[in-house]
Amino acid sequence: QVQLVESGGGLVQPGDSLRLSCAASGRAFSTYGTGWFRRAPGKEREFVVSISWRGVTTYGADSMKGRFTISRDNAKNTVYLQMNNLKPEDTGVYYCAASRIGSGSWDFWGQGTQVTVSS
């Protein structure tokens, strides 16, 4: 089992930056793929970005490329989401997820952290 705990959310203004963290418990975290999702108010959950255990990054919408960066520190069992030039439409609950090798699905989820971008 892997437990994921997100942190770093908050209220920021448009154009600001924010870094989310996802701390994972459990062994062999370095062999898991990890990703970030978000759910905006009144909308379906949306895939943001993922990083495989080999370090390959995959983005969701093009609007996130160049603004959002995912990284992982396997020594700390932590995944980060650096978000720059935030926009009001980035508002939502951000979730971290982890996938076992060969799973084909997201096996573990965090509880989410709220990000609000507003002037």
Side-chain angles (χ1 to χ4, degrees), residues 18-60:
L18 206 58
R19 188 177 81 159
L20 306 183
S21 299
C22 173
S25 65
R27 298 180 179 180
F29 177 71
S30 62
T31 67
Y32 285 70
T34 55
W36 289 94
F37 293 75
R38 70 183 183 189
R39 187 190 300 274
K43 294 187 177 181
E44 297 291 321
R45 186 175 63 199
E46 176 185 25
F47 169 67
V48 176
V49 63
S50 66
I51 185 167
S52 72
W53 68 277
R54 293 181 175 178
V56 176
T57 300
T58 302
Y59 283 92

mmCIF file of all heavy atoms in Angstrom, residues 18-60:
data_model
loop_
_atom_site.group_PDB
_atom_site.id
_atom_site.type_symbol
_atom_site.label_atom_id
_atom_site.label_comp_id
_atom_site.label_asym_id
_atom_site.label_seq_id
_atom_site.Cartn_x
_atom_site.Cartn_y
_atom_site.Cartn_z
ATOM 1 N N LEU A 18 3.195 28.621 -7.336
ATOM 2 C CA LEU A 18 2.890 27.767 -6.196
ATOM 3 C C LEU A 18 3.545 26.414 -6.449
ATOM 4 O O LEU A 18 3.580 25.945 -7.596
ATOM 5 C CB LEU A 18 1.375 27.602 -6.055
ATOM 6 C CG LEU A 18 0.760 27.286 -4.694
ATOM 7 C CD1 LEU A 18 1.114 28.364 -3.681
ATOM 8 C CD2 LEU A 18 -0.742 27.174 -4.828
ATOM 9 N N ARG A 19 4.053 25.805 -5.388
ATOM 10 C CA ARG A 19 4.607 24.464 -5.522
ATOM 11 C C ARG A 19 3.856 23.510 -4.616
ATOM 12 O O ARG A 19 3.821 23.705 -3.389
ATOM 13 C CB ARG A 19 6.095 24.420 -5.200
ATOM 14 C CG ARG A 19 6.714 23.052 -5.535
ATOM 15 C CD ARG A 19 8.216 22.988 -5.302
ATOM 16 N NE ARG A 19 8.540 22.777 -3.909
ATOM 17 C CZ ARG A 19 9.698 22.287 -3.477
ATOM 18 N NH1 ARG A 19 10.643 21.959 -4.367
ATOM 19 N NH2 ARG A 19 9.936 22.156 -2.187
ATOM 20 N N LEU A 20 3.265 22.513 -5.219
ATOM 21 C CA LEU A 20 2.585 21.473 -4.462
ATOM 22 C C LEU A 20 3.539 20.315 -4.221
ATOM 23 O O LEU A 20 4.401 20.022 -5.054
ATOM 24 C CB LEU A 20 1.358 20.972 -5.227
ATOM 25 C CG LEU A 20 0.341 22.015 -5.673
ATOM 26 C CD1 LEU A 20 -0.834 21.321 -6.353
ATOM 27 C CD2 LEU A 20 -0.119 22.862 -4.514
ATOM 28 N N SER A 21 3.351 19.680 -3.090
ATOM 29 C CA SER A 21 4.145 18.499 -2.750
ATOM 30 C C SER A 21 3.216 17.323 -2.500
ATOM 31 O O SER A 21 2.094 17.496 -2.028
ATOM 32 C CB SER A 21 4.982 18.755 -1.492
ATOM 33 O OG SER A 21 5.886 19.811 -1.683
ATOM 34 N N CYS A 22 3.718 16.156 -2.800
ATOM 35 C CA CYS A 22 2.988 14.914 -2.539
ATOM 36 C C CYS A 22 3.950 13.950 -1.884
ATOM 37 O O CYS A 22 4.867 13.437 -2.535
ATOM 38 C CB CYS A 22 2.442 14.336 -3.830
ATOM 39 S SG CYS A 22 1.687 12.704 -3.652
ATOM 40 N N ALA A 23 3.766 13.739 -0.599
ATOM 41 C CA ALA A 23 4.631 12.842 0.157
ATOM 42 C C ALA A 23 4.027 11.448 0.181
ATOM 43 O O ALA A 23 2.846 11.280 0.498
ATOM 44 C CB ALA A 23 4.811 13.363 1.576
ATOM 45 N N ALA A 24 4.829 10.457 -0.162
ATOM 46 C CA ALA A 24 4.350 9.083 -0.240
ATOM 47 C C ALA A 24 4.966 8.224 0.846
ATOM 48 O O ALA A 24 6.150 8.361 1.178
ATOM 49 C CB ALA A 24 4.690 8.494 -1.602
ATOM 50 N N SER A 25 4.150 7.358 1.391
ATOM 51 C CA SER A 25 4.658 6.368 2.337
ATOM 52 C C SER A 25 4.739 5.032 1.616
ATOM 53 O O SER A 25 4.146 4.845 0.562
ATOM 54 C CB SER A 25 3.723 6.252 3.547
ATOM 55 O OG SER A 25 2.470 5.746 3.121
ATOM 56 N N GLY A 26 5.454 4.104 2.183
ATOM 57 C CA GLY A 26 5.552 2.801 1.564
ATOM 58 C C GLY A 26 6.867 2.610 0.831
ATOM 59 O O GLY A 26 7.543 3.565 0.477
ATOM 60 N N ARG A 27 7.171 1.374 0.590
ATOM 61 C CA ARG A 27 8.431 1.036 -0.055
ATOM 62 C C ARG A 27 8.307 1.077 -1.571
ATOM 63 O O ARG A 27 7.232 1.083 -2.119
ATOM 64 C CB ARG A 27 8.862 -0.362 0.385
ATOM 65 C CG ARG A 27 9.117 -0.491 1.869
ATOM 66 C CD ARG A 27 9.535 -1.906 2.226
ATOM 67 N NE ARG A 27 9.816 -2.033 3.650
ATOM 68 C CZ ARG A 27 10.197 -3.163 4.225
ATOM 69 N NH1 ARG A 27 10.341 -4.260 3.486
ATOM 70 N NH2 ARG A 27 10.438 -3.198 5.517
ATOM 71 N N ALA A 28 9.450 1.085 -2.203
ATOM 72 C CA ALA A 28 9.518 0.965 -3.661
ATOM 73 C C ALA A 28 8.821 2.101 -4.371
ATOM 74 O O ALA A 28 8.360 1.931 -5.507
ATOM 75 C CB ALA A 28 8.953 -0.378 -4.130
ATOM 76 N N PHE A 29 8.726 3.258 -3.737
ATOM 77 C CA PHE A 29 8.056 4.384 -4.388
ATOM 78 C C PHE A 29 8.738 4.749 -5.697
ATOM 79 O O PHE A 29 8.093 5.216 -6.629
ATOM 80 C CB PHE A 29 8.046 5.590 -3.446
ATOM 81 C CG PHE A 29 7.443 6.817 -4.053
ATOM 82 C CD1 PHE A 29 6.081 6.896 -4.287
ATOM 83 C CD2 PHE A 29 8.236 7.902 -4.400
ATOM 84 C CE1 PHE A 29 5.511 8.023 -4.849
ATOM 85 C CE2 PHE A 29 7.685 9.035 -4.964
ATOM 86 C CZ PHE A 29 6.313 9.094 -5.181
ATOM 87 N N SER A 30 10.030 4.543 -5.769
ATOM 88 C CA SER A 30 10.765 4.905 -6.981
ATOM 89 C C SER A 30 10.321 4.097 -8.195
ATOM 90 O O SER A 30 10.608 4.468 -9.332
ATOM 91 C CB SER A 30 12.270 4.723 -6.755
ATOM 92 O OG SER A 30 12.575 3.364 -6.484
ATOM 93 N N THR A 31 9.614 3.014 -7.962
ATOM 94 C CA THR A 31 9.142 2.187 -9.078
ATOM 95 C C THR A 31 7.718 2.526 -9.494
ATOM 96 O O THR A 31 7.155 1.887 -10.374
ATOM 97 C CB THR A 31 9.207 0.697 -8.717
ATOM 98 O OG1 THR A 31 8.255 0.431 -7.667
ATOM 99 C CG2 THR A 31 10.599 0.289 -8.262
ATOM 100 N N TYR A 32 7.129 3.529 -8.879
ATOM 101 C CA TYR A 32 5.761 3.936 -9.210
ATOM 102 C C TYR A 32 5.765 5.118 -10.167
ATOM 103 O O TYR A 32 6.591 6.025 -10.053
ATOM 104 C CB TYR A 32 5.011 4.350 -7.939
ATOM 105 C CG TYR A 32 4.576 3.213 -7.066
ATOM 106 C CD1 TYR A 32 5.500 2.458 -6.360
ATOM 107 C CD2 TYR A 32 3.236 2.903 -6.921
ATOM 108 C CE1 TYR A 32 5.103 1.413 -5.550
ATOM 109 C CE2 TYR A 32 2.819 1.865 -6.098
ATOM 110 C CZ TYR A 32 3.763 1.127 -5.419
ATOM 111 O OH TYR A 32 3.354 0.097 -4.622
ATOM 112 N N GLY A 33 4.823 5.103 -11.075
ATOM 113 C CA GLY A 33 4.531 6.318 -11.809
ATOM 114 C C GLY A 33 3.698 7.218 -10.918
ATOM 115 O O GLY A 33 2.927 6.730 -10.094
ATOM 116 N N THR A 34 3.846 8.518 -11.071
ATOM 117 C CA THR A 34 3.065 9.443 -10.259
ATOM 118 C C THR A 34 2.498 10.545 -11.152
ATOM 119 O O THR A 34 3.061 10.871 -12.197
ATOM 120 C CB THR A 34 3.917 10.083 -9.149
ATOM 121 O OG1 THR A 34 5.064 10.714 -9.735
ATOM 122 C CG2 THR A 34 4.378 9.031 -8.155
ATOM 123 N N GLY A 35 1.398 11.089 -10.700
ATOM 124 C CA GLY A 35 0.754 12.120 -11.504
ATOM 125 C C GLY A 35 -0.046 13.086 -10.664
ATOM 126 O O GLY A 35 -0.307 12.843 -9.489
ATOM 127 N N TRP A 36 -0.413 14.175 -11.297
ATOM 128 C CA TRP A 36 -1.276 15.179 -10.688
ATOM 129 C C TRP A 36 -2.539 15.337 -11.516
ATOM 130 O O TRP A 36 -2.487 15.364 -12.753
ATOM 131 C CB TRP A 36 -0.558 16.527 -10.588
ATOM 132 C CG TRP A 36 0.533 16.563 -9.579
ATOM 133 C CD1 TRP A 36 1.858 16.327 -9.785
ATOM 134 C CD2 TRP A 36 0.392 16.854 -8.184
ATOM 135 N NE1 TRP A 36 2.555 16.453 -8.601
ATOM 136 C CE2 TRP A 36 1.676 16.785 -7.609
ATOM 137 C CE3 TRP A 36 -0.688 17.191 -7.366
ATOM 138 C CZ2 TRP A 36 1.909 17.024 -6.242
ATOM 139 C CZ3 TRP A 36 -0.459 17.427 -6.022
ATOM 140 C CH2 TRP A 36 0.831 17.346 -5.470
ATOM 141 N N PHE A 37 -3.641 15.451 -10.803
ATOM 142 C CA PHE A 37 -4.939 15.688 -11.404
ATOM 143 C C PHE A 37 -5.549 16.889 -10.695
ATOM 144 O O PHE A 37 -5.118 17.265 -9.601
ATOM 145 C CB PHE A 37 -5.848 14.470 -11.233
ATOM 146 C CG PHE A 37 -5.406 13.256 -11.987
ATOM 147 C CD1 PHE A 37 -4.328 12.495 -11.548
ATOM 148 C CD2 PHE A 37 -6.066 12.855 -13.133
ATOM 149 C CE1 PHE A 37 -3.914 11.370 -12.237
ATOM 150 C CE2 PHE A 37 -5.670 11.727 -13.836
ATOM 151 C CZ PHE A 37 -4.590 10.983 -13.382
ATOM 152 N N ARG A 38 -6.580 17.451 -11.287
ATOM 153 C CA ARG A 38 -7.292 18.525 -10.610
ATOM 154 C C ARG A 38 -8.763 18.447 -10.962
ATOM 155 O O ARG A 38 -9.157 17.943 -11.991
ATOM 156 C CB ARG A 38 -6.717 19.889 -11.000
ATOM 157 C CG ARG A 38 -7.010 20.322 -12.438
ATOM 158 C CD ARG A 38 -6.337 21.628 -12.741
ATOM 159 N NE ARG A 38 -6.651 22.112 -14.088
ATOM 160 C CZ ARG A 38 -6.052 23.142 -14.668
ATOM 161 N NH1 ARG A 38 -5.101 23.815 -14.018
ATOM 162 N NH2 ARG A 38 -6.404 23.511 -15.879
ATOM 163 N N ARG A 39 -9.536 18.998 -10.043
ATOM 164 C CA ARG A 39 -10.978 19.083 -10.255
ATOM 165 C C ARG A 39 -11.392 20.519 -9.997
ATOM 166 O O ARG A 39 -11.326 20.985 -8.851
ATOM 167 C CB ARG A 39 -11.740 18.133 -9.348
ATOM 168 C CG ARG A 39 -13.237 18.068 -9.667
ATOM 169 C CD ARG A 39 -14.002 17.316 -8.596
ATOM 170 N NE ARG A 39 -13.545 15.957 -8.441
ATOM 171 C CZ ARG A 39 -13.981 14.931 -9.154
ATOM 172 N NH1 ARG A 39 -14.879 15.134 -10.111
ATOM 173 N NH2 ARG A 39 -13.528 13.719 -8.925
ATOM 174 N N ALA A 40 -11.789 21.190 -11.063
ATOM 175 C CA ALA A 40 -12.279 22.562 -10.929
ATOM 176 C C ALA A 40 -13.723 22.526 -10.457
ATOM 177 O O ALA A 40 -14.430 21.524 -10.670
ATOM 178 C CB ALA A 40 -12.170 23.276 -12.269
ATOM 179 N N PRO A 41 -14.195 23.584 -9.842
ATOM 180 C CA PRO A 41 -15.588 23.627 -9.369
ATOM 181 C C PRO A 41 -16.566 23.339 -10.493
ATOM 182 O O PRO A 41 -16.523 23.961 -11.552
ATOM 183 C CB PRO A 41 -15.733 25.063 -8.859
ATOM 184 C CG PRO A 41 -14.345 25.479 -8.511
ATOM 185 C CD PRO A 41 -13.459 24.807 -9.496
ATOM 186 N N GLY A 42 -17.428 22.349 -10.269
ATOM 187 C CA GLY A 42 -18.459 22.022 -11.241
ATOM 188 C C GLY A 42 -17.982 21.266 -12.463
ATOM 189 O O GLY A 42 -18.742 21.070 -13.411
ATOM 190 N N LYS A 43 -16.722 20.813 -12.446
ATOM 191 C CA LYS A 43 -16.184 20.120 -13.612
ATOM 192 C C LYS A 43 -15.675 18.730 -13.238
ATOM 193 O O LYS A 43 -15.511 18.406 -12.063
ATOM 194 C CB LYS A 43 -15.053 20.940 -14.237
ATOM 195 C CG LYS A 43 -15.505 22.267 -14.825
ATOM 196 C CD LYS A 43 -14.379 22.939 -15.573
ATOM 197 C CE LYS A 43 -14.846 24.231 -16.228
ATOM 198 N NZ LYS A 43 -13.742 24.900 -16.983
ATOM 199 N N GLU A 44 -15.408 17.927 -14.271
ATOM 200 C CA GLU A 44 -14.858 16.609 -14.055
ATOM 201 C C GLU A 44 -13.377 16.699 -13.681
ATOM 202 O O GLU A 44 -12.713 17.692 -13.979
ATOM 203 C CB GLU A 44 -15.001 15.773 -15.329
ATOM 204 C CG GLU A 44 -16.436 15.511 -15.754
ATOM 205 C CD GLU A 44 -17.136 14.574 -14.797
ATOM 206 O OE1 GLU A 44 -16.494 13.615 -14.330
ATOM 207 O OE2 GLU A 44 -18.312 14.822 -14.483
ATOM 208 N N ARG A 45 -12.902 15.646 -13.066
ATOM 209 C CA ARG A 45 -11.482 15.591 -12.752
ATOM 210 C C ARG A 45 -10.670 15.594 -14.041
ATOM 211 O O ARG A 45 -11.032 14.922 -15.012
ATOM 212 C CB ARG A 45 -11.177 14.339 -11.944
ATOM 213 C CG ARG A 45 -9.745 14.255 -11.442
ATOM 214 C CD ARG A 45 -9.578 13.050 -10.551
ATOM 215 N NE ARG A 45 -9.818 11.813 -11.282
ATOM 216 C CZ ARG A 45 -10.095 10.651 -10.701
ATOM 217 N NH1 ARG A 45 -10.179 10.584 -9.378
ATOM 218 N NH2 ARG A 45 -10.287 9.577 -11.436
ATOM 219 N N GLU A 46 -9.569 16.309 -14.021
ATOM 220 C CA GLU A 46 -8.761 16.533 -15.220
ATOM 221 C C GLU A 46 -7.323 16.098 -14.970
ATOM 222 O O GLU A 46 -6.744 16.413 -13.920
ATOM 223 C CB GLU A 46 -8.808 18.020 -15.586
ATOM 224 C CG GLU A 46 -7.936 18.434 -16.752
ATOM 225 C CD GLU A 46 -7.953 19.925 -16.971
ATOM 226 O OE1 GLU A 46 -8.221 20.683 -16.015
ATOM 227 O OE2 GLU A 46 -7.681 20.361 -18.107
ATOM 228 N N PHE A 47 -6.757 15.399 -15.924
ATOM 229 C CA PHE A 47 -5.359 15.009 -15.838
ATOM 230 C C PHE A 47 -4.473 16.218 -16.092
ATOM 231 O O PHE A 47 -4.673 16.937 -17.065
ATOM 232 C CB PHE A 47 -5.071 13.912 -16.859
ATOM 233 C CG PHE A 47 -3.606 13.606 -17.046
ATOM 234 C CD1 PHE A 47 -2.873 13.023 -16.019
ATOM 235 C CD2 PHE A 47 -2.968 13.911 -18.231
ATOM 236 C CE1 PHE A 47 -1.528 12.731 -16.184
ATOM 237 C CE2 PHE A 47 -1.623 13.625 -18.415
ATOM 238 C CZ PHE A 47 -0.901 13.034 -17.391
ATOM 239 N N VAL A 48 -3.501 16.439 -15.223
ATOM 240 C CA VAL A 48 -2.605 17.588 -15.358
ATOM 241 C C VAL A 48 -1.272 17.159 -15.959
ATOM 242 O O VAL A 48 -0.892 17.605 -17.037
ATOM 243 C CB VAL A 48 -2.386 18.273 -13.998
ATOM 244 C CG1 VAL A 48 -1.381 19.419 -14.126
ATOM 245 C CG2 VAL A 48 -3.715 18.786 -13.438
ATOM 246 N N VAL A 49 -0.566 16.308 -15.262
ATOM 247 C CA VAL A 49 0.761 15.892 -15.716
ATOM 248 C C VAL A 49 1.185 14.656 -14.927
ATOM 249 O O VAL A 49 0.733 14.456 -13.793
ATOM 250 C CB VAL A 49 1.784 17.036 -15.525
ATOM 251 C CG1 VAL A 49 1.952 17.409 -14.058
ATOM 252 C CG2 VAL A 49 3.135 16.705 -16.156
ATOM 253 N N SER A 50 2.021 13.844 -15.535
ATOM 254 C CA SER A 50 2.541 12.666 -14.845
ATOM 255 C C SER A 50 4.023 12.508 -15.136
ATOM 256 O O SER A 50 4.552 13.071 -16.103
ATOM 257 C CB SER A 50 1.790 11.399 -15.267
ATOM 258 O OG SER A 50 2.049 11.113 -16.637
ATOM 259 N N ILE A 51 4.661 11.728 -14.279
ATOM 260 C CA ILE A 51 6.064 11.376 -14.494
ATOM 261 C C ILE A 51 6.227 9.900 -14.192
ATOM 262 O O ILE A 51 5.780 9.431 -13.144
ATOM 263 C CB ILE A 51 7.002 12.253 -13.629
ATOM 264 C CG1 ILE A 51 8.461 11.947 -13.951
ATOM 265 C CG2 ILE A 51 6.710 12.109 -12.143
ATOM 266 C CD1 ILE A 51 9.425 12.984 -13.366
ATOM 267 N N SER A 52 6.803 9.175 -15.118
ATOM 268 C CA SER A 52 6.952 7.738 -14.936
ATOM 269 C C SER A 52 8.125 7.450 -14.010
ATOM 270 O O SER A 52 8.903 8.339 -13.670
ATOM 271 C CB SER A 52 7.186 7.054 -16.280
ATOM 272 O OG SER A 52 8.497 7.359 -16.760
ATOM 273 N N TRP A 53 8.246 6.199 -13.628
ATOM 274 C CA TRP A 53 9.346 5.841 -12.747
ATOM 275 C C TRP A 53 10.689 6.027 -13.437
ATOM 276 O O TRP A 53 11.713 6.185 -12.780
ATOM 277 C CB TRP A 53 9.183 4.403 -12.260
ATOM 278 C CG TRP A 53 9.353 3.354 -13.315
ATOM 279 C CD1 TRP A 53 8.426 2.919 -14.205
ATOM 280 C CD2 TRP A 53 10.545 2.603 -13.570
ATOM 281 N NE1 TRP A 53 8.971 1.945 -15.008
ATOM 282 C CE2 TRP A 53 10.250 1.721 -14.638
ATOM 283 C CE3 TRP A 53 11.812 2.578 -13.018
ATOM 284 C CZ2 TRP A 53 11.192 0.842 -15.149
ATOM 285 C CZ3 TRP A 53 12.763 1.693 -13.519
ATOM 286 C CH2 TRP A 53 12.440 0.845 -14.583
ATOM 287 N N ARG A 54 10.660 6.091 -14.779
ATOM 288 C CA ARG A 54 11.882 6.347 -15.532
ATOM 289 C C ARG A 54 12.121 7.834 -15.753
ATOM 290 O O ARG A 54 13.121 8.211 -16.350
ATOM 291 C CB ARG A 54 11.821 5.643 -16.885
ATOM 292 C CG ARG A 54 11.838 4.127 -16.792
ATOM 293 C CD ARG A 54 11.789 3.501 -18.170
ATOM 294 N NE ARG A 54 11.914 2.038 -18.113
ATOM 295 C CZ ARG A 54 11.869 1.252 -19.179
ATOM 296 N NH1 ARG A 54 11.708 1.774 -20.376
ATOM 297 N NH2 ARG A 54 11.990 -0.043 -19.039
ATOM 298 N N GLY A 55 11.151 8.673 -15.333
ATOM 299 C CA GLY A 55 11.332 10.107 -15.483
ATOM 300 C C GLY A 55 10.720 10.706 -16.730
ATOM 301 O O GLY A 55 10.968 11.875 -17.032
ATOM 302 N N VAL A 56 9.913 9.931 -17.441
ATOM 303 C CA VAL A 56 9.261 10.453 -18.641
ATOM 304 C C VAL A 56 8.030 11.254 -18.229
ATOM 305 O O VAL A 56 7.171 10.754 -17.496
ATOM 306 C CB VAL A 56 8.860 9.313 -19.582
ATOM 307 C CG1 VAL A 56 8.102 9.859 -20.788
ATOM 308 C CG2 VAL A 56 10.091 8.529 -20.021
ATOM 309 N N THR A 57 7.945 12.468 -18.725
ATOM 310 C CA THR A 57 6.842 13.363 -18.362
ATOM 311 C C THR A 57 5.792 13.402 -19.459
ATOM 312 O O THR A 57 6.114 13.470 -20.639
ATOM 313 C CB THR A 57 7.376 14.784 -18.120
ATOM 314 O OG1 THR A 57 8.322 14.759 -17.055
ATOM 315 C CG2 THR A 57 6.241 15.728 -17.751
ATOM 316 N N THR A 58 4.540 13.369 -19.038
ATOM 317 C CA THR A 58 3.413 13.470 -19.957
ATOM 318 C C THR A 58 2.467 14.546 -19.447
ATOM 319 O O THR A 58 2.077 14.524 -18.283
ATOM 320 C CB THR A 58 2.653 12.141 -20.057
ATOM 321 O OG1 THR A 58 3.557 11.118 -20.478
ATOM 322 C CG2 THR A 58 1.512 12.248 -21.047
ATOM 323 N N TYR A 59 2.087 15.466 -20.306
ATOM 324 C CA TYR A 59 1.192 16.549 -19.929
ATOM 325 C C TYR A 59 -0.226 16.279 -20.413
ATOM 326 O O TYR A 59 -0.447 15.591 -21.395
ATOM 327 C CB TYR A 59 1.672 17.876 -20.519
ATOM 328 C CG TYR A 59 2.833 18.484 -19.779
ATOM 329 C CD1 TYR A 59 4.143 18.221 -20.160
ATOM 330 C CD2 TYR A 59 2.612 19.306 -18.677
ATOM 331 C CE1 TYR A 59 5.203 18.756 -19.460
ATOM 332 C CE2 TYR A 59 3.681 19.858 -17.979
ATOM 333 C CZ TYR A 59 4.960 19.582 -18.369
ATOM 334 O OH TYR A 59 6.005 20.113 -17.673
ATOM 335 N N GLY A 60 -1.152 16.917 -19.711
ATOM 336 C CA GLY A 60 -2.538 16.891 -20.135
ATOM 337 C C GLY A 60 -2.755 17.976 -21.171
ATOM 338 O O GLY A 60 -2.231 17.923 -22.269
#
